[in-house]
């Protein structure tokens, strides 16, 4: 199972919006609405940010939103803040009854 | 109270074995699918495998099939990962994670496994 494809890095200034893409295939991202996103700060465990493509768990800022079109899912962070600087990973269920993560995207706040 | 706490990591020689444990608190582990996810130093997250609520279904990533086994002890509310025939490429931080709402909603703090001679 190949990793989902994410850009290695994305950057933006405070207050701006950025979007991270996550590209898979019809056997994973495109075939199921089971795409989720995770934020990971250095040395910490991942934190659950988005589930079911575009749903936010309680406690997650509404500055984070998700979407999907075809085989590509996206995470948008609006009103970028210094605390958003972290690595972000997408994940999807697959037709092989497996789960797959993306390669990760490092978000830098300029 | 920390919901998931992993233990059992350490240094092991290639070809050796190790068993990781994950103690759940505040919820009943057997009510959820549970997964192990690993992260090699400086690398991406990689799903290792999972186990269904009743233990009747288990799935693994191809690279660990036949070498790793997931199990659980309901009485101890604990999840395990038995790792045999370990390789250098298995070196990683191993996390246990709970499945909920089609995602991994709770993660442990991780335990480091180093495979080296």
């Amino acid at each position: 199972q190949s990793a989902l494809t994410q850009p290695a890095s994305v950057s933006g200034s405070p207050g701006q919006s950025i979007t991270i893409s996550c590209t898979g295939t019809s056997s994973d991202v495109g075939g199921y609405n089971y795409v989720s996103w995770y934020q990971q700060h250095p040395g910490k465990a991942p934190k659950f940010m988005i589930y079911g493509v575009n749903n936010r768990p309680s406690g997650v800022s509404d500055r984070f939103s998700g979407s999907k079109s075809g085989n590509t899912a996206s995470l948008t962070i609006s009103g970028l803040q210094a605390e958003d600087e972290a690595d972000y990973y997408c994940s999807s269920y697959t037709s092989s009854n497996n789960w797959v993560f993306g390669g990760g995207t490092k978000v830098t706040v300029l | 109270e920390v919901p998931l706490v992993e233990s059992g990591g350490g240094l092991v020689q290639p070809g050796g074995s190790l068993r990781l444990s994950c103690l759940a608190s505040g919820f009943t582990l057997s009510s959820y699918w549970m997964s192990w996810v690993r992260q090699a130093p400086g690398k991406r997250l990689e799903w290792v495998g999972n186990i269904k609520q009743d233990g009747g279904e288990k799935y693994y990533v191809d690279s660990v099939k036949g070498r790793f086994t997931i199990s659980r002890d309901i009485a101890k509310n604990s999840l395990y990962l038995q790792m045999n025939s370990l390789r250098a490429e298995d070196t990683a931080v191993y996390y246990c994670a709970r499945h909920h709402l089609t995602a991994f909603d709770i993660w442990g703090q991780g335990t480091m496994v180093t495979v080296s001679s």
Side-chain angles (χ1 to χ4, degrees):
Chain A
Q1 178 70 55
S2 299
L4 305 176
T5 301
Q6 297 181 234
S9 63
V10 173
S11 62
S13 299
Q16 286 187 330
S17 293
I18 62 169
T19 296
I20 302 168
S21 61
C22 169
T23 301
T25 69
S26 58
S27 295
D28 39 64
V29 174
Y32 306 91
N33 286 327
Y34 288 1
V35 176
S36 51
W37 290 89
Y38 304 86
Q39 177 191 65
Q40 187 180 35
H41 286 105
K44 300 296 186 181
K47 177 186 174 184
F48 170 47
M49 304 298 285
I50 295 286
Y51 68 93
V53 176
N54 56 8
N55 299 283
R56 268 187 319 275
S58 60
V60 172
S61 170
D62 60 5
R63 297 185 299 104
F64 292 84
S65 62
S67 63
K68 189 183 85 167
S69 177
N71 296 337
T72 298
S74 299
L75 174 72
T76 297
I77 308 175
S78 305
L80 199 61
Q81 299 180 2
E83 67 209 48
D84 300 332
E85 188 161 291
D87 293 328
Y88 291 82
Y89 293 90
C90 61
S91 178
S92 175
Y93 180 70
T94 83
S95 59
S96 303
N97 292 312
N98 285 7
W99 293 80
V100 63
F101 286 92
T105 298
K106 181 177 181 59
V107 169
T108 301
V109 181
L110 302 171
Chain B
E1 183 179 68
V2 180
L4 293 172
V5 178
E6 300 94 337
S7 61
L11 175 64
V12 61
Q13 292 190 338
S17 299
L18 208 57
R19 189 177 86 148
L20 306 183
S21 301
C22 172
L23 176 64
S25 302
F27 70 96
T28 302
L29 188 145
S30 59
S31 296
Y32 297 86
W33 280 85
M34 295 293 298
S35 272
W36 285 96
V37 178
R38 67 184 178 183
Q39 186 171 36
K43 301 298 184 182
R44 69 177 185 94
L45 298 170
E46 181 184 33
W47 177 81
V48 173
N50 63 4
I51 183 169
K52 192 178 179 181
Q53 293 93 324
D54 62 4
E57 293 180 42
K58 303 176 188 180
Y59 299 96
Y60 301 92
V61 69
D62 285 348
S63 60
V64 309
K65 281 180 182 175
R67 300 189 301 123
F68 290 12
T69 302
I70 297 174
S71 62
R72 58 189 177 73
D73 185 324
I74 295 175
K76 295 183 178 179
N77 211 28
S78 292
L79 179 73
Y80 304 101
L81 180 65
Q82 177 66 44
M83 304 184 294
N84 299 329
S85 303
L86 283 161
R87 308 166 180 167
E89 54 265 36
D90 296 318
T91 294
V93 173
Y94 284 74
Y95 297 99
C96 60
R98 187 181 82 170
H99 286 257
H100 186 53
L101 300 173
T102 74
F104 305 97
D105 70 327
I106 297 177
W107 298 66
Q109 85 290 349
T111 186
M112 182 70 203
V113 172
T114 303
V115 184
S116 175
S117 55

